[in-house]
Amino acid sequence: MSMNTQGRPTGTTNVNPSTSSGAALLPDEPLLFEIGDTEHSGVDLPDVTLKADRLGGFRRKMPLDLAGLTEPEAMRHYVRLSRLNYSIDSGMYPLGSCTMKHNPRLNEKMARLPGFADIHPLQPISTVQGALMLMEQLAHWLMTLTNTAAVALSPKAGAHGELLGMMAIKAAQAARGQAHRKIVLVPESAHGTNPATAAFLGYSVRAIPARADGTVDAEAVRNALSDDVAAIMLTNPNTCGLFETQVIDIAQAVHDAGAFFYCDGANFNAIMGVVRPGDLGIDAMHINLHKTFSTPHGGGGPGAGPVVLSAALAPFAPVPFVRRSEGGLELVEHGEGQALGRITAFQGQMGMYVRALTYMLSHGGDGLAQAAKDAVLNANYIKARLQSVFSVPYPQYPCMHEALFDDSFLDQTGVSTLDFAKALIDKGFHPMTMYFPLVVHGAMLVEPTESESKQTLDQFCEIMLELAMDAKAGNKQNFVSAPINAPRRRMDETRAARSPILKWEREDDASEAAQ
Amino acid sequence: MRYLPHSDAERADMLAAIGAQSIEALFSVVPAAAMRSSGLDLPRHSPEFLVEAHMRGLASQNHAAGDGPFFVGAGAYRHHVPATVDHLIQRSEWLTAYTPYQPEISQGTLQMLFEFQTQVAKLTGMDVANASLYDGSTGTAEAVLMARRLTRRNKVLLSGGLHPHYRDVVCGYLKDDADLVCLDASPEGQGDILDRIDDQTAAIVVQTPDFYGHLRNIETAAAVAHAKGALLIVVVTEIVSLGLLEAPGAYGADIVVAEGQSIGNALNFGGPYLGLMATRQQFVRQMPGRVCGETVDADGNRGFVLTLSTREQHIRREKATSNICTNSGLCALAFSIHLGLLGEAGLVKLARLNHERACALADALGTVKNVELLNATFFNEMTIRLPVAAEPVVEQLAGRGILAGVPVSRLEPGRPELENLLVLAATEPNDRCKHC
Amino acid sequence: MTTKYTTDHEYIRIEGATGTVGITLFAQEQLGDIVFVELPGIGKVLNKGDEAAVVESVKAASEIYAPVSGTVTEINTALNSEPGLVNQDPHSAGWMFKIQLSNPSEPRRSAG
């Protein structure tokens, strides 16, 4: 036979044994300011000269010094940067309390229709009847899913909604002559936003301890209630992933004591279409459209946090809101009666309303309920598959849409929760939520959402079990040095915080500043 | 259902692994009284083509800005956004990424935020900027709270040229607060604030170009405020203006808050928008919102992280600087890409073009009988006084397909002296031949 | 000169009517890398138990309470640029503030 000695080796025997990191497809990308300059531009515009300006002498003298890129350069810069990100489209986010579900692209397409994207918030009302109809329909879905009397759509995000809900409670207490109520009860396991919001409004926060089973004790709530308590802020399902079994009793006790029940709706995904929070006795609850109703997280916003309100709080809803009148729909933009004022300019996150309503119509009432049930099924499946190795702090009840583990399975291994989570990155998964809720030592909170297939869940569980075995086998090094396969190793956060560098500066400017 | 991966057989397998009879059994802890056995009164799931038809039906009942002559501004501006911007922000890795709390696998978002902060600092002429807030109006309220923390004083003066919605939001945040002084609307651009500053004043809030389009002298405002130990908060609702107008930082602003929608983001009927905030280096630990900083990784390679997070709610809980835990990430990305495409050369051209269009509009309005232009100065927006109430005129023109501007009475109802005023903006899509 | 410790892991080193306040070796270990120290203003009058300073690590902020009542007379400005001194040498170079005791007998009763 003839031997072609120029042939390529096709095996991997000569390859360096270290793991491939995919670095060839993930080149480091310089900063915009290191590749662009003030002359280049990727936008062609007519070059007009101003004969006489009307700028009254306020014309800019300070250099802008903004770097520009032509279109192909910009395309490459932002595509390359994007490839350094993990995303829900590329893998599962087992992030407890974050509900990282699939983001349907129909939502995006609809939000870009000129009839939604290219309308101005202050156009004449007669020219935006479709937009008001959309807001009315979204409100109808939210009120039906929660069995509540009203909804304020305008909050920009969950924490903003929470602020509004508590403002409504404060206003309602004042209207009842109960402004002296200065205490808000917050369970120890609450999201950090809850005490922050209460304190912002001048309330003092009293913590309610959890029972051994991870739920809030109705008796402890009763004991804490008094004539000084304005409200309770409760998350249900709670941050440990459990349904608050005594929630109806708690609501009753809270109302009997003249207080209101604010429900943190961060975990609504577990019960949408299955349980209506209004039936549990809530007075206000924010709904994160970017969690429950699939609007994209976008690397940290924009979110949207509409707040549903009970009949008792409905009169305190802020402006603006949509109202049906003889001539069609109108937008009420100025306070009437007890209404709160405005918490944002304009009408709130219209772009998110479009996406959320598109999602609701796609799923229908039946599909939303099925989604909630699948989310709960998935979390319980993970819990069942992992509980022989991972420690479950509250095993009594089925979990809702997220499974909580603590770090006692890592005892004696020298591996921390953080190390374990970082090792998950090397296996291709985003870490789970760590060290939250604070009531559990070394908490790991896993929320798969309904979007993950059984195959992905099995793969996730197998990797979790494999890592746990590795930790228990004493291979600490694999964890403390993780991640090694990501675009970056662990970052020096101490250095970042001690002498913050928050913007790019030319080297000569930077050294000048240092002197 | 197209978004749910499980087959019934897979659900049964999973239930067997859990040891539960049914999915409903997993909800056994829910009080029976609250469990819905039957469905809610809502439509059933729907195929994509029907959902799309429904949404298109709603959209078709709106008059889009591009459908005809358009002069509406007042805090939200119609600008052309290059196709590249919208293409890039829809990439999975930008659109569907979570907040970059795991920096090792979020360097794209983090580097972009670092670039964004640099762009905002340069535009505003300030030392540092954060990674964005919800929008300009809530950002203004946050700036007021920040100034109070910094000065340990309470009195805050809001200029009569501040966007009325922004004023209302600040009032909403600081409800029942006697130390908040809102000055009367000043549609003629008259000075209204400097003689009210005293040594109890934490901050004054001045917008430029103001709500009525006038350019305000913030250099003098800074000097007077600083002489009394007060801070100057400058609000900018049309960020494109900074391509042509002096940076607030050059005039001595202490905190700059801006609405960034004009660059990269569509009108969207009011949101999502983009709050920009920038300040002096020494105030950075009192600045609310996320901040991204440069550092190195374990191998010594440059990288970026969210930093100074002890200011935020998930650490400080009731002592946080703000209860905000979201920025406006994707809007910040759109802003950063658009501004990266423009660069200095493009932004200056764009700003000049806007001003030129506005000059042409002002000249054209000057020829209309009985219409009085109130502005001696403006960037791309101005106020006119009509001989009659503005709102019905705007309605009438809307009926003819012309969106003529914002009647001031829409934001300031019940004020007869403002009833005839109309605020109009001209931006680059306003071709000269379509004017008036 | 006597050094007293509070149950919150602060120390106060008393010389005459002046006390020097910082946090203990154990406390700095628990907090991890200190990245920022917010010090009280000179002249600030503190009652025992008042929040006097804040130390921040990357992930947490902790309040430092006044171990005695008195007036702040001096602060360790070196911590502004080098907060890591609290980690390296908490009892000496990493001190935080000095306080003029308003009631010199107070610490003996309760801070031991």
Side-chain angles (χ1 to χ4, degrees), chain A residues 32-47:
Chain A
L32 166 63
F33 304 93
E34 293 163 341
I35 46 179
D37 62 35
T38 56
E39 306 297 318
H40 281 80
S41 180
V43 184
D44 290 330
L45 290 164
D47 202 358

Side-chain angles (χ1 to χ4, degrees), chain C residues 38-62:
Chain C
E38 189 182 314
L39 295 166
I42 291 173
K44 182 161 185 176
V45 177
L46 294 167
N47 288 315
K48 184 179 164 184
D50 281 358
E51 185 183 313
V54 180
V55 287
E56 293 185 8
S57 62
V58 169
K59 301 285 181 201
S62 314

Side-chain angles (χ1 to χ4, degrees), chain B residues 3-22:
Chain B
Y3 302 147
L4 301 176
H6 298 328
S7 66
D8 284 341
E10 283 166 332
R11 288 189 181 102
D13 282 354
M14 293 166 73
L15 284 167
I18 295 165
Q21 292 296 313
S22 64

Side-chain angles (χ1 to χ4, degrees), chain A residues 71-151:
Chain A
E71 186 171 313
E73 293 173 301
M75 191 63 81
R76 193 159 290 163
H77 179 64
Y78 291 102
V79 168
R80 283 185 169 182
L81 281 184
S82 78
R83 296 179 58 131
L84 305 176
N85 279 354
Y86 193 88
S87 65
I88 188 69
D89 284 352
S90 61
M92 170 180 170
Y93 276 90
L95 270 175
S97 93
C98 299
T99 313
M100 289 296 287
K101 61 168 70 176
H102 170 63
N103 302 145
R105 286 315 193 276
L106 179 63
N107 301 357
E108 296 303 312
K109 186 178 178 188
M110 295 301 98
R112 284 169 171 79
L113 294 174
F116 296 133
D118 195 26
I119 53 174
H120 191 286
L122 297 175
Q123 278 181 217
I125 295 305
S126 59
T127 67
V128 290
Q129 286 292 304
L132 301 191
M133 256 178 246
L134 184 141
M135 289 167 72
E136 187 189 40
Q137 290 176 10
L138 178 69
H140 173 74
W141 276 82
L142 292 172
M143 290 188 293
T144 306
L145 287 166
T146 55
N147 190 26
T148 47
V151 58

Side-chain angles (χ1 to χ4, degrees), chain A residues 29-30 32 34 38 41-42 47-48 50 54-55 58 60-62 65-66 68-69 71 77-78 81-82 84-89 93 95 98 103-104 109-110 112-113 115 117-120 122-123 126-128 130-131 133 137 156 159-160 167 193 196-197 200 274 276 280 296-301 333-334 342 344-346 348-351 361-366 370 373-374 378 422 434 450-452 487-492 497 501-504, chain B residues 1-6 11 14 24 34-36 43-46 52 54-56 58 61-66 72-73 76 84 86 90-98 102 104-106 108-109 111 114-115 117-119 122-123 127 135 137-138 145 165 172-173 215 242 244-246 251 267-269 271-272 285 293-299 302-303 305 307 313 317 323 327 329-330 336 340-345 352 355 363 377-378 395 410-411 413:
Chain A
E29 179 64 8
L32 166 63
E34 293 163 341
T38 56
S41 180
D47 202 358
V48 295
L50 297 172
R54 318 274 180 98
L55 301 174
F58 297 117
R60 189 162 183 130
K61 294 177 210 63
M62 190 188 235
D65 195 26
L66 286 166
L69 302 172
E71 186 171 313
H77 179 64
Y78 291 102
L81 281 184
S82 78
L84 305 176
N85 279 354
Y86 193 88
S87 65
I88 188 69
D89 284 352
Y93 276 90
L95 270 175
C98 299
N103 302 145
K109 186 178 178 188
M110 295 301 98
R112 284 169 171 79
L113 294 174
D118 195 26
I119 53 174
H120 191 286
L122 297 175
Q123 278 181 217
S126 59
T127 67
V128 290
M133 256 178 246
Q137 290 176 10
K156 295 271 180 179
H160 200 216
M167 284 165 78
T193 48
T197 301
F200 180 83
V274 181
R276 300 184 304 180
L280 303 174
H297 268 69
E333 295 181 282
H334 298 279
R342 195 170 260 291
T344 175
F346 313 127
Q349 308 288 64
M350 176 68 172
L361 292 169
S362 295
H363 263 302
D366 56 328
Q370 188 63 53
K373 289 175 182 176
D374 280 359
N378 286 359
K422 295 294 186 191
M434 293 169 272
E450 71 278 12
S451 302
E452 300 303 335
R488 280 288 177 276
R489 304 282 306 282
R490 271 195 232 184
M491 309 298 298
D492 189 345
I501 303 172
L502 307 181
K503 65 173 182 182
W504 176 84
Chain B
M1 210 291 139
R2 59 188 178 275
Y3 302 147
L4 301 176
H6 298 328
R11 288 189 181 102
M14 293 166 73
E24 284 68 27
M35 191 70 191
R36 299 290 302 183
R44 287 178 57 79
H45 64 274
S46 190
E52 185 165 334
H54 178 88
M55 298 305 284
R56 282 186 186 279
L58 292 175
Q61 295 175 62
N62 298 324
H63 179 112
V72 191
T84 306
D86 200 45
Q90 288 194 75
R91 268 186 76 88
S92 296
E93 301 91 330
W94 293 120
L95 185 76
T96 76
Y98 185 64
Q102 301 296 324
E104 301 90 343
I105 48 174
S106 310
T109 295
Q111 182 171 328
F114 186 79
E115 294 174 357
Q117 289 172 189
T118 307
Q119 289 172 319
K122 284 174 182 289
L123 263 177
D127 298 330
D135 68 359
S137 66
T138 53
L145 296 170
H165 279 183
Y173 267 59
L215 307 186
L242 292 181
L244 204 52
L245 294 176
E246 183 58 296
Y251 286 140
L267 288 168
N268 282 327
F269 199 47
R285 286 178 191 271
E294 181 185 320
T295 186
V296 294
D297 76 353
D299 290 338
R302 177 172 73 181
V305 292
T307 190
Q313 46 78 23
R317 293 172 80 89
N323 83 335
N327 56 348
L330 203 68
S336 195
L341 280 165
L342 285 165
E344 173 162 348
R352 222 188 280 145
H355 188 54
D363 293 345
T377 60
F378 55 82
E395 280 294 342
R410 169 121 180 226
L411 297 97

Side-chain angles (χ1 to χ4, degrees), chain A residues 307-354:
Chain A
V307 179
V308 291
L309 299 167
S310 63
L313 292 182
F316 302 94
V319 292
F321 53 85
V322 175
R323 186 165 59 192
R324 199 161 267 287
S325 65
E326 275 175 34
L329 291 169
E330 59 174 339
L331 187 67
V332 179
E333 295 181 282
H334 298 279
E336 297 172 1
Q338 296 173 303
L340 288 174
R342 195 170 260 291
I343 56 160
T344 175
F346 313 127
Q347 282 80 258
Q349 308 288 64
M350 176 68 172
M352 300 300 138
Y353 307 160
V354 179

